[in-house]
Amino acid sequence: MRTLIGRKSITVRLTLLFATVSTAILLLLGLLIGTLVEHHFEELDMETLNGKMELLQTAIGNIRTSEELSVLSTKLDGALVGHHGLAVLVTTHDRQNLFLTSGAIFPDEVLTQGSNKMTSTLWTDTNHSTYRGIAARVPTGIPGGKPLTVAISTNLSTHEHFMSSFQITLWLVVGAAALLTGFLGWVVARRGLAPLRIISQGAADITANSLDQRLAVATIPLELAEVAETLNGMLARLQESFRRLSDFSSDLAHELRTPVSNLLTQTQVTLSKSRTAEEYKNVLASNSEEFERLSRMIADMLFLAKADNDLIIPHQERIDLAEETKGILEFYEIVAEDKGIKLTCSGGGQVLGDRLMLRRAINNILSNAIRHTPQGGMVAIQIDSDGEKVKWTVENTGNTIPAEHLPRLFDRFYRVDASRQRFSDGAGLGLAITQSILRAHGGTASVFSHDGVTRFDLILPKVIRIGAHT
């Protein structure tokens, strides 16, 4: 359960992200709108209060006598008719009220702030009603008369009611928008991630028996096309690996079956009746040949297994490829003379590598070339040194190898003509071993065949770099 909670799906994450972002934006927008509305109401209140203050300042400034001052309340009652929510207080310098709106309350901090620069003050009465008010010292027109204190306030109940309704509406809208955005985010995420589910379903339908299937890249969005192409590439490599493994297993079974069958048959026949000592000796000699063939095959397979797991680390010593090649050619001179084959070697180059391994690779290529060169043919070796690499090339005349066989010549147990080659001395591992040796040295092996000439190219670096065999 803890694992399921900790591993949210991408759809859930995107849904939560959409809902969180939209909610945060709506909250910020609501706070901004609320602040602007509050500021707007304050400006309207101050505009009303300042307008009334100017009216009262004009009325008080026009008073010239004490008699006019005594009837000030009557004039103010008429001036304030129709202005609901407004309250006015006019006091003398000794705090005697000349006018006070019925039920109005003005705190002392409002009256004591009266100055030429009016600022608003907020307060709450006993009925929990909020007011905003201003006060000012207003001079009269009476000669020698002291200025009066005038205070004006407005009730903010209407504004508070509006803001309360606005906030409730805002929270409802934010909640509904968050839910709607979450739902829409879930829908969008589901639709957006549908190609991933298609890829997943397509990959789930591919088994070891259907590795030829591929994901349809054309129907997948561009952002996921690279993923699909990578998976298709992986499937192609797996298919090739499975094919080679299947072919190798089949070929290995065939290769082992022949010597084992020969050993079993000869042993059974020999044991079927009494034999002379010479006959037993001949059977043991024949069995020994089969065992030697099996031993070579097993040794070659172990070598290839180590190469596949990067366990072959060549020793580094300076090797003259021309001298090594000529030394191997001396071994094949008698065979070449019997078949009338002309052997040539030209050029030169030196590399750092494992002498025994490179000699084995060269010997495998030369043995293959001489074996497939017809009577009176030619085998020519050319060694070229270029920059940091040395190219060892051998060409032999003979039948052209069909193009479809060339890519698989370095596969294990692969033969172009299996029916004819099955009974040869080779086990079909020579070229595969050669390629493994070249890779261990950081080099490459390739083959070309056209117009009756077959060419093998072995390219080796002059110095083995660390990690080149991996």
Side-chain angles (χ1 to χ4, degrees), residues 288-441:
S288 177
E289 294 179 358
E290 295 294 342
F291 281 124
E292 288 179 1
R293 181 182 178 186
L294 285 174
S295 178
R296 289 195 304 269
M297 187 184 303
I298 293 173
D300 290 344
M301 290 303 304
L302 289 175
F303 182 89
L304 291 173
K306 290 181 178 180
D308 289 342
N309 291 279
D310 300 325
L311 298 178
I312 298 178
I313 302 177
H315 299 290
Q316 293 199 42
E317 58 180 308
R318 188 166 297 280
I319 302 172
D320 189 318
L321 291 181
E323 292 183 0
E324 293 297 328
T325 302
K326 291 176 181 179
I328 296 174
L329 285 178
E330 292 179 358
F331 177 78
Y332 289 105
E333 284 182 353
I334 298 177
V335 178
E337 290 179 359
D338 291 342
K339 296 180 64 175
I341 298 174
K342 181 180 180 181
L343 301 177
T344 63
C345 179
S346 60
Q350 293 184 346
V351 296
L352 287 179
D354 190 298
R355 185 182 303 275
L356 293 179
M357 292 174 63
L358 291 179
R359 183 180 295 175
R360 184 177 186 182
I362 294 174
N363 182 73
N364 288 341
I365 297 295
L366 285 177
S367 173
N368 184 77
I370 294 174
R371 185 167 62 251
H372 292 88
T373 301
Q375 190 79 21
M378 180 189 67
V379 175
I381 302 167
Q382 177 67 36
I383 305 173
D384 297 314
S385 180
D386 182 16
E388 297 182 353
K389 295 183 178 180
V390 176
K391 182 178 180 181
W392 187 93
T393 301
V394 59
E395 290 185 351
N396 69 281
T397 57
N399 296 329
T400 301
I401 302 176
E404 63 270 17
H405 295 292
L406 293 178
R408 299 195 60 190
L409 282 185
F410 292 99
D411 290 353
R412 302 170 189 181
F413 298 118
Y414 186 79
R415 295 185 177 90
V416 176
D417 188 353
S419 61
R420 183 171 59 87
Q421 298 290 340
R422 180 66 63 184
F423 302 102
S424 64
D425 293 336
L429 296 175
L431 295 181
I433 291 175
T434 298
Q435 187 179 57
S436 298
I437 292 174
L438 267 291
R439 287 178 177 174
H441 284 76

Side-chain angles (χ1 to χ4, degrees), residues 49-84:
L49 294 174
N50 288 329
K52 291 304 176 182
M53 181 61 74
E54 291 177 1
L55 178 63
L56 293 176
Q57 287 174 340
T58 301
I60 294 174
N62 291 332
I63 297 176
R64 297 289 186 267
T65 63
S66 299
E67 289 77 8
E68 292 179 353
L69 183 60
S70 62
V71 296
L72 177 62
S73 60
T74 304
K75 292 181 180 181
L76 294 181
D77 282 335
L80 296 175
V81 173
H83 294 278
H84 301 288

Side-chain angles (χ1 to χ4, degrees), residues 213-256:
Q213 296 184 18
R214 296 293 182 270
L215 301 176
V217 179
T219 60
I220 296 176
L222 184 62
E223 293 79 4
L224 298 177
E226 184 176 354
V227 176
E229 291 175 353
T230 302
L231 289 175
N232 284 339
M234 179 191 70
L235 290 173
R237 293 190 297 272
L238 286 176
Q239 183 183 12
E240 178 65 16
S241 298
F242 268 82
R243 182 193 63 78
R244 295 180 62 181
L245 180 61
S246 177
D247 293 345
F248 169 72
S249 300
S250 177
D251 292 337
L252 180 62
H254 280 288
E255 294 295 334
L256 292 177

